[in-house]
């Protein structure tokens, strides 16, 4: 039986009562490397921001950055972090499948672990949503679990071919490369894909 949006929100709300595996208390190393390499620019959206560590890191680098998450529990924690760290960051409870309703266009959208949670049907809607909120020539940077990570826990694995198929219309794929997704589980590092797509 397909999970409803309400089921998904409820599951994330429950996860954020504790510390989910993807919350490591600091920005992902891949995000830091992207920023250092100059691949992040302009007005930024951190889509599926969780408790905000990537968002806050980018804000500290001087970017105008927004973080959104469907789970209000995550956004509450992100806002508290921003206050404690004295960092200006705007966090909003919002559905990633309807980014157009934000009424804001972004130069860069960062996705650390959201793409891989969607069903095939929702994935199509998500890609359309991303395109609707990116400026022309804007960049979508996505980090997701790859099929090279063994099954047994966590979200579905994503193949390189699935990424290519998903972004075959309206985007130019700059690259898809092997990467690491950090977690707070004992094994820590998960095999992932890092993809960069430009809206055309």
């Amino acid at each position: 039986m397909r999970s409803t949006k309400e089921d998904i929100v409820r599951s994330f709300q429950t996860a954020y009562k504790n510390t989910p595996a993807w919350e490591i208390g600091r920005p992902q190393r891949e995000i830091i490397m992207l920023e250092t390499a100059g691949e992040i620019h302009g007005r930024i959206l951190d889509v599926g921001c969780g408790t905000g560590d990537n968002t806050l890191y980018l804000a500290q680098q001087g970017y105008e950055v927004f973080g959104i998450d469907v789970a209000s529990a995550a956004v509450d924690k992100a806002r508290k972090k921003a206050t404690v760290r004295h960092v200006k960051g705007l966090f909003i409870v919002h559905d990633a499948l309807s980014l157009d309703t934000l009424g804001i266009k972004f130069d860069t959208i960062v996705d650390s672990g959201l793409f891989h949670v969607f069903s095939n049907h929702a994935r199509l809607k998500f890609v359309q949503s991303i395109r609707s909120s990116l400026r022309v020539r804007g960049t979508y940077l996505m980090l997701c679990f790859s099929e090279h990570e063994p099954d047994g826990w966590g979200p579905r694995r994503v193949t390189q071919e699935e990424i290519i198929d998903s972004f075959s219309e309206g985007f130019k794929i700059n690259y898809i490369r092997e990467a690491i997704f950090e977690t707070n589980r004992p094994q820590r590092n998960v095999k992932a894909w890092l993809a960069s797509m430009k809206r055309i």
Side-chain angles (χ1 to χ4, degrees):
M1 187 172 68
R2 181 191 290 181
S3 297
T4 65
K5 177 183 172 181
E6 290 73 21
D7 292 333
I8 293 169
V9 172
R10 192 178 303 112
S11 70
F12 279 110
Q13 287 284 80
T14 300
Y16 281 108
K17 288 180 180 178
N18 300 298
T19 304
W22 58 88
E23 290 291 338
I24 59 174
R26 55 182 169 75
Q28 289 279 335
R29 279 182 305 201
E30 297 288 356
I31 300 299
I32 295 172
M33 289 190 290
L34 286 168
E35 194 282 323
T36 302
E39 294 194 46
I40 293 173
H41 61 282
R43 179 185 290 158
I44 301 164
L45 175 65
D46 181 6
V47 62
C49 67
T51 66
D53 289 303
N54 292 327
T55 311
L56 294 172
Y57 165 74
L58 293 171
Q60 287 174 315
Q61 310 314 305
Y63 297 98
E64 178 186 11
V65 55
F66 298 75
I68 69 153
D69 203 286
V70 74
S72 61
V75 171
D76 288 344
K77 289 184 178 182
R79 289 170 177 164
K80 288 175 183 175
K81 283 184 182 180
T83 299
V84 169
R85 299 178 191 179
H86 306 288
V87 178
K88 184 179 179 181
L90 181 60
F91 293 100
I92 305 167
V93 178
H94 197 83
D95 185 355
L97 300 182
S98 57
L99 294 176
D100 58 317
T101 61
L102 285 172
I104 306 170
K105 292 287 187 180
F106 299 94
D107 301 287
T108 307
I109 296 180
V110 174
D111 172 356
S112 175
L114 182 61
F115 181 79
H116 60 210
V117 309
F118 292 118
S119 66
N120 290 344
H121 175 71
R123 182 181 286 174
L124 293 173
K125 291 183 65 176
F126 178 63
V127 172
Q128 293 168 357
S129 182
I130 290 291
R131 190 173 189 277
S132 74
S133 59
L134 262 182
R135 289 195 174 113
V136 175
R137 294 185 295 280
T139 306
Y140 170 62
L141 298 165
M142 183 265 288
L143 183 65
C144 69
F145 276 40
S146 87
E147 75 275 23
H148 301 302
E149 177 64 23
D151 289 330
W153 72 280
R156 67 189 291 189
R157 278 48 172 165
V158 179
T159 67
Q160 208 170 4
E161 290 72 23
E162 286 177 296
I163 297 171
I164 292 168
D165 288 346
S166 296
F167 293 91
S168 61
E169 295 184 12
F171 290 89
K172 175 183 179 292
I173 297 176
N174 297 318
Y175 62 77
I176 303 172
R177 65 170 175 80
E178 292 183 350
I180 293 296
F181 188 99
E182 297 175 278
T183 76
N184 61 36
R185 291 174 65 89
Q187 70 268 33
R188 298 288 180 180
N189 295 338
V190 171
K191 293 177 180 177
W193 294 118
L194 178 66
S196 169
M197 276 76 75
K198 180 184 291 186
R199 184 195 159 186
I200 57 177

